[in-house]
Amino acid sequence: MGIKDKLKGLTESNQKEVKENNNVLYGEYDVFISYSTKNTDTANKACYALEQNGLRCWIAPRNIISTSDFESQIPEAIKNSKIVVLIFSGYVQESRFVNNEIKTAFIENKPIIQFCIDEAFPEDDLYYYLNGQSAISAYPQPEKHLETLVKDAFKLLNLDDESKEDNNPLAAYEGDDKYIFVSYIHKDRELVFPDIRQFQNLGYNVYYDSETCETKNSRIARLKNCEIFIVFVTNESIASELIQKEIKYAVKHKKKIIPIYLEDFDEIEMEDDIDFELSVLQGIIKTTLDNEEYVFKFTEAFGNFGIDIPE
């Protein structure tokens, strides 16, 4: 489709919503958004989410100054943007404009985030240009993955460096008062560490594997003596032999267990025995909650299990 179709593609309300977030047409941008006009609604929502978090986005047709020379403006906009977000679907394969945009981004060595909203895969030239680039599986409900898109954009832009120290947990609790044991895999630490720090900031005592050279026996002892056992559940963590052993140990010793799901519940696959153990527990599905709701859920769960918010 041509640019005239793109101009028609935005509804009046979507134009107003996106324009109100960022009226700047010139200069440098954080994000160039590439998309097929058939995915306009998702592109606008992605733009809105990114701009609500302070990022400057270039998106057609909003940022096109004049339709008479739009084809020269687009490569210039890509050059002046730090990263590219591609709303990827089966439709982009058919779009000459999207293919040209991704080729330009590749030539300009721009990092690309693929926000995949269906089950299609890149083919031909797009496969070559996108091979090795980061991708977010946002199918079948892209809106639920916009927060992940924002976080990944911040990482690529290195804008989260200042907050990394604040998100890193304090030292693991080694005392004798009531404490929470956290079970997780190290691959998930970027998801888990901010939550541990949030628990600690509220005054909870938290033990977690801080990747030091602790002995197996000391870890088992901390698990045996904990008041609450939290397991952060992702597809990778629940497949871990260590995590499965910790869950079974916690069940055997009648620990108060709270599963916290960091991926969509329906997309997590687990072995039957682990599925059985967790299915009878009241878990927290974090992907369905904003942070305020999440804090309410975990503080309520901790209180029900005997650890209230410290004074």
Side-chain angles (χ1 to χ4, degrees), residues 9 22 61 68 120 193 247 249 267 275 279 287 289 298:
N22 186 355
S68 61
F193 277 10
I247 292 171
Y249 187 93
E267 295 177 5
D275 191 12
S279 65
T287 54
L289 307 170
F298 74 66

Side-chain angles (χ1 to χ4, degrees), residues 24 31 242 248 259:
V24 180
V31 182
L242 173 62
K248 290 174 183 177

